[in-house]
Amino acid sequence: MKLVKIYETNNAIVLGFLVYGFIFNQAWCYYIAITVLISSIYSEYSAYKIAQLWTQIGKILGYVNSNIILGLFFFLLLTPFSLIIRLFIKKKNSFKTSSWETNKYSIDFTKPF
């Protein structure tokens, strides 16, 4: 990671905790924001480690979002909806009617050219 991106990530973390602490009146958010800000200002290594930890948390949240939340969405919303549709709506095409057409022309594959 470039140094500019590391500091952008740390500043976003600080801003996020400050906004969250202001909205929900949580003092611990201010402590985390001040700790991240001071440690990223004074040490390049700690700034890198904080940004690295934040990206790992983002990967975990991405896994949770894509697998668990979308799986719950599928099984809790789409499955009952499809079962209700299948019970109450009749299909226009049944197995007795078909749109299969036989080809009237034959092709000789022994001489392709």
Side-chain angles (χ1 to χ4, degrees):
M1 236 191 240
K2 291 184 179 180
L3 192 60
V4 174
K5 286 291 185 184
I6 292 171
Y7 286 125
E8 284 178 2
T9 303
N10 288 341
N11 289 337
I13 293 169
V14 169
L15 182 66
F17 276 111
L18 287 176
V19 168
Y20 186 83
F22 181 74
I23 291 173
F24 295 108
N25 200 15
Q26 299 288 327
W28 60 271
C29 293
Y30 297 129
Y31 297 133
I32 292 174
I34 290 170
T35 305
V36 169
L37 182 66
I38 291 173
S39 65
S40 66
I41 287 173
Y42 286 116
S43 175
E44 211 173 277
Y45 178 75
S46 66
Y48 174 73
K49 285 299 181 183
I50 291 170
Q52 191 177 22
L53 176 70
W54 191 255
T55 36
Q56 292 299 322
I57 291 171
K59 286 180 185 178
I60 292 169
L61 289 176
Y63 175 78
V64 168
N65 185 28
S66 64
N67 292 329
I68 296 172
I69 294 174
L70 291 177
L72 287 173
F73 175 77
F74 177 77
F75 285 112
L76 295 177
L77 291 177
L78 294 179
T79 303
F81 182 72
S82 66
L83 291 175
I84 290 170
I85 294 295
R86 196 175 276 200
L87 285 174
F88 292 114
I89 295 179
K90 292 183 178 181
K91 292 182 181 178
K92 293 180 181 178
N93 295 334
S94 65
F95 289 111
K96 295 178 183 178
T97 61
S98 174
S99 59
W100 179 268
E101 293 181 11
T102 57
N103 193 358
K104 297 177 184 175
Y105 305 104
S106 65
I107 300 172
D108 185 18
F109 288 108
T110 59
K111 299 176 183 177
F113 299 107

